[in-house]
Amino acid sequence: MPNFDLQIYAVLAQIPQGKVTTYGDVAKMAGYPRHARHVGKLLGTLPKDSRLPWFRVVNAKGMISLTGSRFTRQRELLLDDGVEVKENGAISMRRYRWDGEPA
DNA sequence: TTTCTGACAAGAG
DNA sequence: ACTCTTGCCAGAA
């Protein structure tokens, strides 16, 4: 298991409930800037029953990057999390962006 | 080894 | 605000 994978998981686990962050930021906070795409690929491999808050990660535009049923799932989870998500998957980063501070 | 592919991002029109 | 292009980098083919 590559070290950066573990770092990414570590960062992921710290995202507070009700907040979101971006692929790029997760990569940066994990100590591997410019690896945003890898973060997404890694999240895609997470087991369905994973306890990690993968759904709190969206793209730099503040949009859910998934499609179809996956999109719906992430949106539901975020709504349950207390995050306002428009029908098109848009989120107000100004309000929900995680600054990196622990919960 | 070269090429292609992403749950991406930043910059230029 | 929006579309397009270029840069990115680890895996898979």
Side-chain angles (χ1 to χ4, degrees):
Chain A
M1 188 65 119
N3 188 271
F4 55 77
D5 283 10
L6 301 177
Q7 292 305 307
I8 289 171
Y9 290 142
V11 171
L12 205 61
Q14 294 182 302
I15 308 174
Q17 172 268 349
K19 292 284 183 178
V20 299
T21 186
T22 70
Y23 297 96
D25 284 351
V26 170
K28 182 190 292 185
M29 288 189 266
Y32 295 86
R34 294 189 296 294
H35 287 239
R37 304 189 77 146
H38 186 65
V39 172
K41 179 171 289 189
L42 186 59
L43 295 192
T45 70
L46 286 176
K48 188 156 52 62
D49 58 8
S50 176
R51 184 177 46 57
L52 290 172
W54 57 270
F55 54 87
R56 294 181 185 138
V57 184
V58 299
N59 64 33
K61 306 291 191 295
M63 295 273 216
I64 288 178
S65 279
L66 300 183
T67 60
S69 61
R70 289 207 180 79
F71 169 92
T72 306
R73 222 181 318 160
Q74 178 167 14
R75 179 160 184 269
E76 299 271 304
L77 287 166
L78 284 173
L79 290 174
D80 291 345
D81 221 37
V83 177
E84 292 177 34
V85 188
K86 293 182 182 293
E87 276 188 40
N88 63 4
I91 295 170
S92 170
M93 295 308 275
R94 180 141 71 178
R95 257 192 315 215
Y96 298 107
R97 187 182 182 75
W98 177 41
D99 51 24
E101 297 299 313

